[in-house]
Coordinates of all heavy atoms in Angstrom, one line a residue:
A1323 N 88.0 121.6 74.0 CA 87.3 120.5 74.7 C 86.1 121.0 75.5 O 85.1 120.4 75.6 CB 88.3 119.8 75.6
L1324 N 86.3 122.2 76.1 CA 85.2 122.8 76.9 C 84.0 123.0 76.0 O 82.9 123.0 76.6 CB 85.7 124.1 77.5 CG 84.9 124.7 78.6 CD1 84.9 123.8 79.8 CD2 85.4 126.1 78.9
G1325 N 84.1 123.2 74.7 CA 83.0 123.5 73.9 C 82.4 122.2 73.2 O 81.5 122.3 72.4
D1326 N 83.0 121.0 73.6 CA 82.5 119.8 73.0 C 81.6 119.0 73.9 O 82.0 118.1 74.6 CB 83.7 118.9 72.6 CG 83.4 117.8 71.6 OD1 82.2 117.5 71.5 OD2 84.3 117.2 71.0
A1327 N 80.3 119.5 74.0 CA 79.4 118.9 74.9 C 79.1 117.5 74.6 O 78.8 116.7 75.5 CB 78.1 119.8 74.9
A1328 N 79.1 117.1 73.3 CA 78.8 115.8 72.9 C 79.8 114.8 73.4 O 79.5 113.7 73.9 CB 78.6 115.7 71.4
Y1329 N 81.1 115.2 73.3 CA 82.2 114.4 73.8 C 82.0 114.1 75.3 O 82.2 113.0 75.8 CB 83.5 115.0 73.5 CG 84.7 114.4 74.3 CD1 85.3 113.3 73.7 CD2 85.1 114.9 75.5 CE1 86.4 112.7 74.4 CE2 86.1 114.3 76.2 CZ 86.8 113.2 75.7 OH 87.8 112.6 76.3
L1330 N 81.8 115.2 76.1 CA 81.7 115.1 77.5 C 80.5 114.2 77.9 O 80.6 113.3 78.8 CB 81.5 116.5 78.2 CG 81.4 116.5 79.7 CD1 82.7 116.0 80.3 CD2 81.1 117.9 80.2
A1331 N 79.4 114.3 77.2 CA 78.2 113.4 77.5 C 78.6 112.0 77.2 O 78.2 111.1 77.9 CB 77.0 113.9 76.7
E1332 N 79.3 111.7 76.1 CA 79.7 110.4 75.8 C 80.7 109.8 76.9 O 80.6 108.6 77.2 CB 80.4 110.3 74.4 CG 80.8 108.9 74.0 CD 81.5 108.9 72.6 OE1 81.7 110.0 72.0 OE2 81.9 107.8 72.2
A1333 N 81.6 110.6 77.4 CA 82.5 110.2 78.4 C 81.8 109.8 79.7 O 82.1 108.8 80.3 CB 83.6 111.3 78.7
V1334 N 80.8 110.6 80.1 CA 80.1 110.4 81.3 C 79.2 109.1 81.1 O 79.2 108.3 82.0 CB 79.2 111.6 81.6 CG1 78.3 111.2 82.8 CG2 80.1 112.8 82.0
A1335 N 78.6 108.9 80.0 CA 77.8 107.7 79.7 C 78.7 106.5 79.7 O 78.3 105.4 80.3 CB 77.1 107.9 78.4
L1336 N 79.8 106.5 79.1 CA 80.7 105.4 79.1 C 81.2 105.0 80.5 O 81.3 103.9 80.9 CB 82.0 105.7 78.2 CG 83.0 104.6 78.2 CD1 82.5 103.3 77.5 CD2 84.3 105.1 77.4
N1337 N 81.4 106.1 81.3 CA 81.8 105.9 82.7 C 80.7 105.1 83.5 O 80.9 104.2 84.3 CB 82.1 107.2 83.4 CG 82.8 107.1 84.7 OD1 84.0 106.6 84.7 ND2 82.2 107.4 85.8
R1338 N 79.5 105.5 83.3 CA 78.3 104.9 84.0 C 78.2 103.4 83.6 O 77.9 102.6 84.5 CB 77.0 105.7 83.7 CG 77.0 107.0 84.5 CD 75.8 107.8 84.1 NE 75.8 109.1 84.8 CZ 75.2 110.2 84.4 NH1 74.4 110.1 83.4 NH2 75.2 111.3 85.1
S1339 N 78.3 103.1 82.3 CA 78.2 101.8 81.9 C 79.4 100.9 82.4 O 79.3 99.8 82.8 CB 78.2 101.7 80.4 OG 79.4 102.1 79.8
G1340 N 80.6 101.6 82.5 CA 81.8 100.9 83.0 C 81.6 100.6 84.5 O 82.0 99.5 85.0
L1341 N 81.0 101.5 85.2 CA 80.7 101.3 86.7 C 79.9 100.1 86.9 O 80.1 99.3 87.7 CB 80.1 102.6 87.2 CG 79.7 102.5 88.7 CD1 81.0 102.4 89.6 CD2 78.9 103.8 89.1
Q1342 N 78.8 100.0 86.1 CA 77.9 98.9 86.2 C 78.6 97.6 85.8 O 78.4 96.5 86.5 CB 76.7 99.1 85.3 CG 75.6 98.0 85.5 CD 75.0 98.1 87.0 OE1 74.5 99.1 87.4 NE2 75.1 97.0 87.7
Q1343 N 79.4 97.6 84.8 CA 80.1 96.4 84.4 C 81.1 95.9 85.5 O 81.1 94.7 85.7 CB 80.9 96.7 83.1 CG 81.6 95.5 82.5 CD 82.4 95.9 81.2 OE1 82.4 97.0 80.8 NE2 83.0 94.9 80.6
W1344 N 81.8 96.8 86.1 CA 82.7 96.4 87.2 C 81.9 95.9 88.4 O 82.3 95.0 89.1 CB 83.6 97.6 87.5 CG 84.9 97.5 86.7 CD1 85.2 98.2 85.6 CD2 86.0 96.7 87.0 NE1 86.4 97.9 85.2 CE2 87.0 96.9 86.0 CE3 86.3 95.8 88.0 CZ2 88.2 96.3 86.0 CZ3 87.6 95.1 88.0 CH2 88.5 95.4 87.0
Q1345 N 80.9 96.6 88.8 CA 80.1 96.2 89.9 C 79.5 94.8 89.7 O 79.6 93.9 90.6 CB 79.0 97.2 90.2 CG 79.5 98.5 90.8 CD 78.4 99.5 90.9 OE1 77.3 99.4 90.3 NE2 78.7 100.5 91.8
D1346 N 79.0 94.5 88.5 CA 78.5 93.2 88.2 C 79.6 92.1 88.3 O 79.5 91.0 88.8 CB 77.8 93.1 86.8 CG 76.5 93.9 86.8 OD1 76.0 94.3 87.9 OD2 76.1 94.3 85.7
G1347 N 80.8 92.5 87.7 CA 81.9 91.6 87.6 C 82.5 91.3 89.0 O 82.8 90.2 89.3
L1348 N 82.6 92.3 89.8 CA 83.1 92.1 91.2 C 82.2 91.3 92.1 O 82.6 90.5 92.9 CB 83.4 93.5 91.8 CG 84.5 94.3 91.2 CD1 84.5 95.7 91.8 CD2 85.8 93.7 91.4
T1349 N 80.9 91.5 91.9 CA 79.9 90.7 92.6 C 80.1 89.2 92.2 O 80.1 88.3 93.1 CB 78.5 91.1 92.3 OG1 78.3 92.5 92.7 CG2 77.4 90.3 93.0
A1350 N 80.3 88.9 91.0 CA 80.5 87.6 90.5 C 81.7 87.0 91.1 O 81.8 85.7 91.4 CB 80.5 87.5 89.0
L1351 N 82.7 87.8 91.4 CA 84.0 87.3 91.9 C 84.0 87.3 93.5 O 85.0 86.9 94.1 CB 85.2 88.2 91.5 CG 85.5 88.2 90.0 CD1 86.5 89.3 89.6 CD2 86.0 86.8 89.5
G1352 N 82.9 87.7 94.1 CA 82.8 87.7 95.5 C 83.6 88.9 96.2 O 83.9 88.8 97.4
L1353 N 83.8 90.0 95.5 CA 84.6 91.1 96.0 C 83.6 92.3 96.2 O 82.5 92.3 95.7 CB 85.7 91.5 95.1 CG 86.8 90.5 94.8 CD1 87.8 91.0 93.8 CD2 87.5 90.1 96.1
G1354 N 84.0 93.2 97.0 CA 83.2 94.4 97.3 C 83.9 95.7 96.7 O 84.9 95.6 96.1
W1355 N 83.3 96.8 97.0 CA 83.9 98.1 96.5 C 83.3 99.2 97.4 O 82.2 99.1 98.0 CB 83.5 98.3 95.1 CG 82.1 98.4 94.8 CD1 81.2 99.5 94.8 CD2 81.2 97.3 94.4 NE1 80.0 99.1 94.5 CE2 79.9 97.8 94.2 CE3 81.4 95.9 94.2 CZ2 78.8 97.0 93.9 CZ3 80.4 95.1 93.8 CH2 79.1 95.6 93.7
L1356 N 84.0 100.3 97.4 CA 83.6 101.5 98.1 C 82.7 102.3 97.1 O 82.9 102.3 95.9 CB 84.7 102.4 98.5 CG 85.8 101.7 99.3 CD1 86.8 102.7 99.8 CD2 85.2 101.0 100.5
P1357 N 81.6 103.0 97.6 CA 80.8 103.8 96.8 C 81.7 104.9 96.1 O 82.6 105.5 96.7 CB 79.8 104.4 97.7 CG 80.4 104.3 99.1 CD 81.3 103.1 99.0

Side-chain angles (χ1 to χ4, degrees):
L1324 193 65
D1326 196 343
Y1329 168 85
L1330 183 60
E1332 184 181 358
V1334 171
L1336 178 63
N1337 194 68
R1338 287 176 182 158
S1339 66
L1341 179 64
Q1342 189 63 57
Q1343 185 179 1
W1344 268 98
Q1345 289 175 339
D1346 291 344
L1348 292 172
T1349 299
L1351 293 173
L1353 300 178
W1355 60 87
L1356 305 185

